[in-house]
Amino acid sequence: MLYVLPGVRVSVLSRRCLPVGLASLRAMIRERSATATTQLSGSNTELAVNFGKPPQKGEGFEFDRCLRDVVQSTKKTMVAMRKRNPAIQPLLAIIQAGEDDNLLEINKKMAGKNGINITQICLAKDVSEDEIIEEVLKLNEDPSVHGVYLHLPPASLTSKVLSTLNPEKDIDGISLLNMGRLVQGDMFRGFVPPVASAVVDLLKQHDAPLEGRTVLLIGAEGPLGVALQCLMEGSGMVALKSHWSFKGLQRQVMQADAVVLFGAGEDVDIPPTWVRPGAAVIRCDLTLETDEDAPEISSKSGLGYLTAAYRIQNVVNSSSQWLQEQQYKPWKLRSLKLQPLTPVPSDIEISRAQTPKPVNQLAEETGLLPEELEAYGRNKAKVRLSLLDRLHTQPDGKYVIVAGITPTPLGEGKSTVTIGLVQALSAHLKLNSFACLRQPSQGPTFGVKGGAAGGGYAQVIPMEEFNLHLTGDIHAITAANNLVAAAIDARMLHEATQSDKALFSRLVPSVNGVRRFSPIQISRLRRLGINKTDPASLTPQEVTTFVRLDLDPSKITWQRVVDTNDRFLRKITVGQASTEKGQIRETGFDIAVASEIMAILALADSLKDMKKRLARMVVGTSRSGQPVTAEDLGVSGALAVLMKDAIKPTLMQTLEGTPVFVHAGPFANIAHGNSSVLADKLALKLVGRDGFVVTEAGFGADIGMEKFFNIKCRASGLRPNVVVLVATVRALKMHGGGPNVSAGTPLPKEYINENLSLVTGGCHSNLRKQIEIAHLFGVPVVVALNVFKTDTQAEIDLVCQIAKECGASDAVPCHHWSQGGHGSVELAQAVKDAASRPSNFQFLYDIEMPVVEKIRTIAQKVYGADDIELSAEAEAKIDYYNQQGFGSLPICMAKTHLSLSHMPEKKGAPTGFVLPIRDVRASMGAGFIYPLVGTMSTMPGLPTRPCFYDIDLDPVTEEISGLF
């Protein structure tokens, strides 16, 4: 049965049931006069609030005044609440057995006085416990519902039902938690049953003061009786409970100052002669009437209206509490204690020795709401993007980017510095801070690099979960990427083997004799300039244009991906089976994180934005020279479905219990090499105005940081406050003229023994240049010297001194690897001080500059080149992109990370070179053009002895060994 009432939203979510009468609340409130000796009727001084007879003006207890006070109080709360949030709309959901218009009517009238909505859910009279629980669970999860009223027979209110009901929505105060709060006297955190509130309110209107008065509750069982007893005792009354069968009932009644009667049926009453003069009698009869002709009693009852008014007040209070919960919450972070050992154990031993906090506890400590969390086991969880809507008015915290000097092949520890910094900020300086890290690819994990969770006592834990699968984002990217690849080859096969008519018939199939375009097909028609929606109305030429993408096999740019280092997939031939009818072509695999979908994930600022970006990915070119997109293939909607969970950042924690977002992991050469925009935005809201978000850029500052500023900050609109530039004595010696450093071979003696000359050379070349690059963007720089055990104090002091001379705001040694956050306190303080100074951020180039000039600007100002040299192919591609309207995209240089130049062997700060641009490609979905400087490998290979030789699993304990 669907009730449609003005201003009231009503829905029925379950099957129809036999009509039943009102679940009635019958009340009679009487006051005995000193001379009354017989019947409570006629000329006796009596207030009878009978059903069908509203209280008369001036008679006894003033229902109108009670009702008016409750309504006015509720209105004030509504006004205050709507000042904070004008869009708030409280909603009461009533679950009842049977169809009861009268119950809805009385609650509707009270709701109308306060501007709230009502949803009525009518279940069958014989509804089962499971069916009730199913409806309750739906309402618990519905954020638009602020109150749930279970108008059900007592037998249906089982402990299982009551424990299922969310106490924060239990506006009738019958859940176990709310009753417990009431018993403990905590009436401000939960809800009081409206009937109990109404009865006590009426008693307070009695002429005699309530303090010390005795109230007898007869037949008061269950939550209502408990609630009344607690409320009365809280008001200074003495509440006694009795039963109808008690032999001494008459004596108890005659001694009471007020009597409240509970029961069912008209026979529930006491003889008038039992009631002492001046005592009040309130009769509450809660029954389910099965008679369809039962009089509409409760809708006329003063007590019924007052009860409904208190129920509505509870709904409004619940809405207010919900709104308060939506506000920003100060952190209550409990850090985890570290006990660093010497010598420092392996990374996995350190990680395993620390027990992480449950992720829901971490979320609560950092101001996340339970409904914003999607747990993946005990230690990690996805965070919903609704957080951005909830905290949209919250000012952002300070934004810190961790970059590095040009690294050795061993890496210089940007991840460990990032983690050590947030551990120092939160666990030691007690400042809110979030680390935002990229998700590592499993290819390097099993190849040469090992894990990427940090190292030593600056790690994300559990490191096994961080490095292996995490929450499946890379697998989702792999599936989405390869769906596009499958769609490309399948479409080329079908176009090559079918006529236009056959293609159209299959692309727009007849269902029940009717052909309809899907929404994505209508979108393609509009892009083709065909503004028709009826398949039968297309001309033969329009059919041909619609069904044929006419992809040029030699100009397909989309490759398949796999998250494994597999050099033999770099170039492959597909279509060799006879079933593919000669559609053979060469293609290849990239590693999964090189997929454009990964770059899109990192740059999208909403699900809607991601869907648009996925749609405009260019997968190849038609024979007529037109770009073909994922939307042309008809696959973009399916891609969004595969990626709908991957867009949510994953919450984890450091060794010291500080929060970390792990999200996205695009390549830092053909893509921009930064974690996601969304992770940064969520974290900036959570840390608050005085907090810090520390994110990491891949490779050296000339690559990762430059792309962070020119690509990521353009996409996000965010502006950084501080650059932390990571350096090591090892890398500085290399740039100062030291011998080559190779992974897997022992370090030459120059890197183990003190050598101030090499350190000085590296500082005055590469370190100085990287500081200058940061200053091009107007952001202050703090140099973080990641200290190794072979570094001498003289070398450490020299680096810090020269770094300051080169323009760094500060330069400090960091010992987080061996000491955790304690070893980076000096860095944290330096970052805090630098963030307090003005940041005059600016982009390196105007986005509307010609593509060639944008490339030249980066080459000259960032890399130190004299000029650029474009190949004929690169020039042709730039002309093509300009013709297609892509000239205003930012530039993502694909260059070696081992040198500021294009020559990996050139260390320090090379000058006097011309940067060759071999080719220029575009990632239309991600939104950048990437020039290729030299040859870029997007599929790593395995070395002679990969890391997987050392990785193993104990089948008994399930412990993993060999990750580092």
Side-chain angles (χ1 to χ4, degrees):
M1 181 173 183
L2 179 64
Y3 302 87
V4 182
L5 302 168
V8 180
R9 186 158 58 90
V10 183
S11 62
V12 179
L13 304 180
S14 190
R15 64 181 185 271
R16 288 178 57 85
C17 54
L18 293 175
V20 298
L22 175 68
S24 59
L25 171 61
R26 303 177 179 181
M28 176 174 287
I29 303 177
R30 306 178 296 196
E31 183 180 273
R32 284 276 291 169
S33 72
T35 58
T37 57
T38 56
Q39 298 293 321
L40 287 173
S41 60
S43 61
N44 294 332
T45 56
E46 162 191 335
L47 172 62
V49 186
N50 291 315
F51 307 115
K53 180 182 178 183
Q56 301 301 310
K57 184 176 180 180
E59 288 186 332
F61 304 112
E62 300 182 15
F63 278 106
D64 289 344
R65 185 169 66 185
C66 293
L67 190 60
R68 185 172 58 251
D69 289 347
V70 176
V71 171
Q72 288 301 319
S73 174
T74 304
K75 284 183 176 179
K76 286 181 180 179
T77 304
M78 279 289 294
V79 169
M81 188 166 55
R82 283 191 165 143
K83 282 183 179 179
R84 290 155 54 198
N85 185 349
I88 188 72
Q89 182 58 60
L91 174 63
L92 167 64
I94 302 174
I95 297 179
Q96 64 186 64
E99 300 170 351
D100 186 352
D101 288 315
N102 294 320
L103 175 69
L104 180 64
E105 187 65 24
I106 189 170
N107 283 283
K108 172 205 165 187
K109 287 182 179 180
M110 288 298 103
K113 290 179 181 291
N114 294 282
I116 79 166
N117 289 342
I118 295 179
T119 290
Q120 188 178 27
I121 302 164
C122 296
L123 304 178
K125 183 180 176 182
D126 59 348
V127 61
S128 69
E129 181 183 64
D130 288 342
E131 289 172 316
I132 295 171
I133 289 174
E134 181 181 354
E135 296 298 337
V136 170
L137 288 172
K138 290 178 184 176
L139 298 176
N140 284 349
E141 295 298 320
D142 188 344
S144 67
V145 174
H146 303 98
V148 178
Y149 171 29
L150 300 182
H151 184 59
L152 300 166
S156 295
L157 297 176
T158 64
S159 60
K160 191 173 179 181
V161 169
L162 296 181
S163 62
T164 301
L165 179 60
N166 182 353
E168 310 306 320
K169 296 187 178 185
D170 169 32
I171 45 85
D172 262 48
I174 59 175
S175 67
L176 303 179
L177 180 58
N178 278 328
M179 289 307 302
R181 287 168 173 168
L182 191 59
V183 169
Q184 291 180 339
D186 185 4
M187 291 178 285
F188 299 100
R189 293 180 58 205
F191 295 105
V192 176
V195 175
S197 296
V199 169
V200 172
D201 198 0
L202 291 174
L203 286 174
K204 289 180 180 178
Q205 304 302 318
H206 196 266
D207 292 337
L210 297 179
E211 188 75 25
R213 298 285 176 172
T214 300
V215 180
L216 181 64
L217 308 176
I218 304 176
E221 303 294 338
L224 182 57
V226 174
L228 270 170
Q229 188 172 13
C230 293
L231 285 177
M232 290 172 179
E233 290 174 352
S235 300
M237 293 178 268
V238 177
L240 303 176
K241 293 179 71 175
S242 188
H243 301 281
W244 289 104
S245 58
F246 181 58
K247 293 181 179 180
L249 183 60
Q250 180 179 358
R251 176 175 49 81
Q252 288 180 321
V253 171
M254 297 183 71
Q255 293 174 349
D257 299 301
V259 182
V260 183
L261 310 176
F262 292 87
E266 296 290 344
D267 296 333
V268 176
D269 207 347
I270 54 176
T273 55
W274 289 13
V275 183
R276 62 187 293 181
V281 178
I282 300 177
R283 180 169 177 248
C284 298
D285 181 4
L286 297 170
T287 61
L288 279 174
E289 294 289 341
T290 56
D291 182 1
E292 294 185 26
D293 298 322
E296 296 184 4
I297 44 182
S298 187
S299 63
K300 302 294 185 181
S301 165
L303 185 59
Y305 273 121
L306 188 56
T307 298
Y310 271 110
R311 180 173 294 117
I312 298 306
Q313 184 179 73
N314 283 352
V315 174
V316 173
N317 287 339
S318 174
S319 304
S320 181
Q321 291 170 13
W322 177 85
L323 190 59
Q324 185 63 36
E325 285 292 310
Q326 303 304 300
Q327 305 305 306
Y328 178 79
K329 292 182 176 62
W331 284 23
K332 298 178 181 178
L333 190 69
R334 179 183 65 85
S335 60
L336 301 177
K337 300 301 180 184
L338 279 183
Q339 295 180 330
L341 302 176
T342 304
V344 176
S346 70
D347 291 350
I348 198 165
E349 287 175 321
I350 294 172
S351 173
R352 196 167 288 148
Q354 185 71 290
T355 301
K357 293 178 285 190
V359 70
N360 59 341
Q361 178 187 329
L362 176 66
E364 182 179 358
E365 292 176 355
T366 53
L368 283 159
L369 302 180
E371 59 266 28
E372 292 168 341
L373 213 63
E374 296 177 3
Y376 281 64
R378 180 186 183 276
N379 301 314
K380 55 188 181 293
K382 288 285 192 182
V383 174
R384 294 178 179 173
L385 304 187
S386 58
L387 170 69
L388 290 174
D389 295 327
R390 177 169 70 87
L391 298 181
H392 73 280
T393 60
Q394 170 69 18
D396 289 345
K398 305 295 185 183
Y399 198 23
V400 181
I401 173 68
V402 176
I405 65 171
T406 304
T408 69
L410 306 177
E412 309 316 308
K414 292 190 304 296
S415 296
T416 60
V417 170
T418 300
I419 297 165
L421 175 55
V422 294
Q423 288 181 178
L425 285 166
S426 290
H428 298 271
L429 296 189
K430 305 305 179 183
L431 297 169
N432 295 352
S433 74
F434 240 105
C436 292
L437 301 176
R438 291 178 292 167
Q439 179 182 354
S441 166
Q442 287 181 181
T445 297
F446 290 99
V448 67
K449 186 178 179 182
Y457 287 101
Q459 291 189 54
V460 178
I461 57 171
M463 65 97 74
E464 305 99 307
E465 295 183 28
F466 179 90
N467 287 307
L468 302 173
H469 304 295
L470 197 62
T471 48
D473 293 356
I474 292 180
H475 301 313
I477 289 166
T478 301
N481 184 100
N482 293 345
L483 179 61
V484 176
I488 292 169
D489 287 315
R491 186 60 175 262
M492 288 196 300
L493 168 68
H494 295 311
E495 287 189 21
T497 57
Q498 297 181 49
S499 66
D500 292 352
K501 182 178 180 181
L503 273 173
F504 188 77
S505 178
R506 289 178 172 86
L507 287 172
V508 191
S510 175
V511 179
N512 297 325
V514 179
R515 295 187 189 275
R516 289 189 179 91
F517 290 121
S518 67
I520 201 167
Q521 290 176 324
I522 291 175
S523 178
R524 170 164 165 75
L525 286 168
R526 288 174 179 165
R527 290 197 310 280
L528 294 171
I530 304 172
N531 295 313
K532 297 179 180 179
T533 57
D534 181 6
S537 66
L538 266 64
T539 67
Q541 182 57 48
E542 288 171 340
V543 168
T544 299
T545 304
F546 169 70
V547 300
R548 298 214 173 265
L549 301 179
D550 199 25
L551 274 161
D552 185 340
S554 66
K555 294 183 179 179
I556 293 172
T557 56
W558 197 265
Q559 300 207 119
R560 289 166 172 82
V561 299
V562 64
D563 197 28
T564 303
N565 290 6
D566 192 344
R567 66 176 69 246
F568 281 88
L569 292 178
R570 289 171 179 167
K571 181 171 285 189
I572 62 171
T573 302
V574 296
Q576 296 191 72
S578 59
T579 52
E580 274 47 80
K581 303 178 182 179
Q583 298 299 307
I584 298 172
R585 69 180 183 92
E586 282 192 350
T587 181
F589 274 76
D590 296 327
I591 196 163
V593 294
S595 170
E596 184 178 353
I597 296 176
M598 174 62 90
I600 288 173
L601 178 67
L603 289 171
D605 64 7
S606 66
L607 188 58
K608 182 179 180 180
D609 182 41
M610 182 180 71
K611 187 176 178 181
K612 288 180 178 178
R613 289 174 180 268
L614 291 169
R616 65 174 185 250
M617 292 187 304
V618 174
V619 302
T621 305
S622 70
R623 288 185 173 88
S624 62
Q626 295 302 308
V628 177
T629 67
E631 191 170 28
D632 290 325
L633 283 169
V635 74
S636 55
L639 301 182
V641 170
L642 287 171
M643 294 293 294
K644 72 179 181 65
D645 292 320
I647 197 172
K648 304 165 192 172
T650 299
L651 177 66
M652 295 188 75
Q653 63 192 282
T654 68
L655 280 166
E656 297 192 55
T658 66
V660 177
F661 274 138
V662 186
H663 200 215
F667 254 31
N669 48 23
I670 65 166
H672 61 293
N674 289 268
S675 65
S676 77
V677 164
L678 281 169
D680 292 357
K681 285 191 169 185
L682 291 171
L684 284 164
K685 293 299 182 186
L686 285 170
V687 297
R689 187 194 303 272
D690 299 321
F692 291 81
V693 171
V694 184
T695 190
E696 176 195 348
F699 294 154
D702 57 304
I703 298 181
M705 185 186 72
E706 181 270 318
K707 295 175 182 179
F708 171 84
F709 289 142
N710 282 323
I711 297 175
K712 185 176 179 179
C713 289
R714 284 186 201 272
S716 68
L718 300 174
R719 300 294 179 262
N721 299 95
V722 182
V723 170
V724 173
L725 189 65
V726 178
T728 61
V729 169
R730 173 177 73 192
L732 290 169
K733 287 180 176 179
M734 179 187 71
H735 290 297
N740 287 336
V741 175
S742 300
T745 61
L747 283 172
K749 59 180 176 53
E750 289 85 351
Y751 296 99
I752 298 173
N753 301 325
E754 183 177 287
N755 192 318
L756 299 181
S757 175
L758 290 179
V759 171
T760 301
C763 287
H764 283 297
S765 58
N766 196 269
L767 179 61
R768 178 189 295 275
K769 179 61 177 176
Q770 301 287 14
I771 293 172
E772 290 173 355
I773 294 170
H775 286 164
L776 288 173
F777 298 90
V779 184
V781 179
V782 173
V783 172
L785 182 62
N786 189 12
V787 176
F788 286 71
K789 62 183 179 181
T790 54
D791 300 344
T792 68
Q793 190 60 48
E795 290 173 330
I796 294 169
D797 293 341
L798 182 62
V799 172
C800 293
Q801 174 192 333
I802 297 177
K804 294 175 187 177
E805 293 171 356
C806 292
S809 299
D810 206 345
V812 296
C814 302
H815 301 274
H816 46 269
W817 184 80
S818 59
Q819 300 176 21
H822 178 71
S824 285
V825 168
E826 191 177 356
L827 173 62
Q829 189 61 55
V831 168
K832 179 185 176 185
D833 294 343
S836 66
R837 303 180 193 126
S839 173
N840 302 309
F841 177 76
Q842 60 185 7
F843 294 115
L844 184 64
Y845 52 79
D846 186 331
I847 198 68
E848 297 301 330
M849 286 172 59
V851 172
V852 172
E853 290 307 310
K854 287 184 280 194
I855 297 172
R856 181 175 285 114
T857 299
I858 296 172
Q860 292 177 335
K861 292 188 176 182
V862 177
Y863 305 152
D866 289 344
D867 203 352
I868 61 173
E869 182 180 18
L870 297 172
S871 69
E873 184 178 4
E875 288 183 342
K877 289 283 189 67
I878 290 173
D879 290 340
Y880 173 75
Y881 295 141
N882 285 330
Q883 292 170 10
Q884 296 296 327
F886 302 150
S888 60
L889 293 175
I891 303 300
C892 182
M893 300 291 284
K895 181 188 75 71
T896 179
H897 64 289
L898 298 175
S899 172
L900 282 163
S901 73
H902 60 289
M903 300 166 282
E905 70 278 4
K906 297 292 184 181
K907 306 301 180 183
T911 58
F913 63 93
V914 174
L915 192 73
I917 308 300
R918 180 176 63 84
D919 193 6
V920 178
R921 298 176 186 172
S923 293
M924 294 298 103
F928 52 70
I929 291 172
Y930 62 99
L932 297 176
V933 182
T935 302
M936 292 292 112
S937 174
T938 53
M939 170 54 83
L942 291 173
T944 304
R945 193 184 190 282
C947 295
F948 61 64
Y949 274 86
D950 302 309
I951 297 173
D952 202 359
L953 177 72
D954 186 319
V956 177
T957 64
E958 296 187 8
E959 285 192 348
I960 297 169
S961 60
L963 286 177
F964 61 92

